[in-house]
Amino acid sequence: MSVAFRRESDEEHLEPKFEQPIAPGPNLVTARGLALIGERVETIEAAVAVETDEEARKVLLRDLRYWHTRQTTAELAPEPEEGEVGIGSSVRVRMNGAERTIVIVGGDEAEPGEDRLAFSAPLARALMGAAVGETVAFAGKADAIEIVEIA
């Protein structure tokens, strides 16, 4: 007998729906990042309120659980020491002869294409704690990055 005739419903063969993974470690954020998380929660709550399709609503509720968790576990990152790279710093660096400005932010605020790197990213980790004029190792090369300016 064909499997199609033995199944009671198609539901038993659907892929399970898992919660969105939460990055391990502290949920450090900038003030901007905390505001962005709040905006995201409000947007999703508004979408849930008007959504009529049950499957789409389940997806929205899953997203809402993720963002509520991120909102409740968010910790404002301490201000970096004066003249030292930390979370919230805008850092102008010289790498391979080219200059670039990187902003170090919390994980949910990261936009690598816009040079907003999460503090957990390898490049951001290499820069943390450095001061203007210092060079830091990166990608196995000593003195690969020069810190030009910190704002």
Side-chain angles (χ1 to χ4, degrees):
M1 177 182 276
S2 171
V3 171
F5 293 108
R6 290 185 286 135
R7 282 198 319 235
E8 292 189 22
S9 74
D10 288 332
E11 294 292 314
E12 68 186 69
H13 292 286
L14 292 177
E15 289 291 320
K17 303 287 191 235
F18 297 105
E19 293 298 314
Q20 291 185 20
I22 304 265
N27 182 15
L28 298 174
V29 298
T30 63
R32 178 183 180 271
L34 188 57
L36 290 173
I37 291 171
E39 290 171 13
R40 179 73 60 97
V41 166
E42 288 175 11
T43 300
I44 297 171
E45 285 175 340
V48 167
V50 297
E51 184 58 61
T52 58
D53 179 66
E54 192 57 35
E55 285 304 309
R57 187 175 166 78
K58 284 180 184 178
V59 170
L60 286 169
L61 288 171
R62 176 180 172 239
D63 289 346
L64 187 58
R65 285 189 300 275
Y66 172 84
W67 288 106
H68 270 154
T69 301
R70 296 307 281 172
Q71 187 176 42
T72 58
T73 61
E75 299 174 39
L76 278 177
E79 289 289 321
E81 295 291 325
E82 183 68 31
E84 190 175 284
V85 178
I87 299 172
S89 296
S90 177
V91 188
R92 191 162 45 106
V93 298
R94 186 174 294 119
M95 282 176 65
N96 301 322
E99 286 192 8
R100 150 184 191 193
T101 300
I102 297 165
V103 180
I104 300 176
V105 296
D108 294 319
E109 188 181 358
E111 300 262 351
E114 295 178 16
D115 282 336
R116 293 175 104 34
L117 302 182
F119 68 91
S120 57
L123 179 55
R125 285 193 320 237
L127 299 173
M128 299 283 275
V132 172
E134 284 186 41
T135 56
V136 296
F138 183 67
K141 292 172 50 179
D143 301 332
I145 305 169
E146 178 186 354
I147 310 299
V148 177
E149 180 182 19
I150 301 170

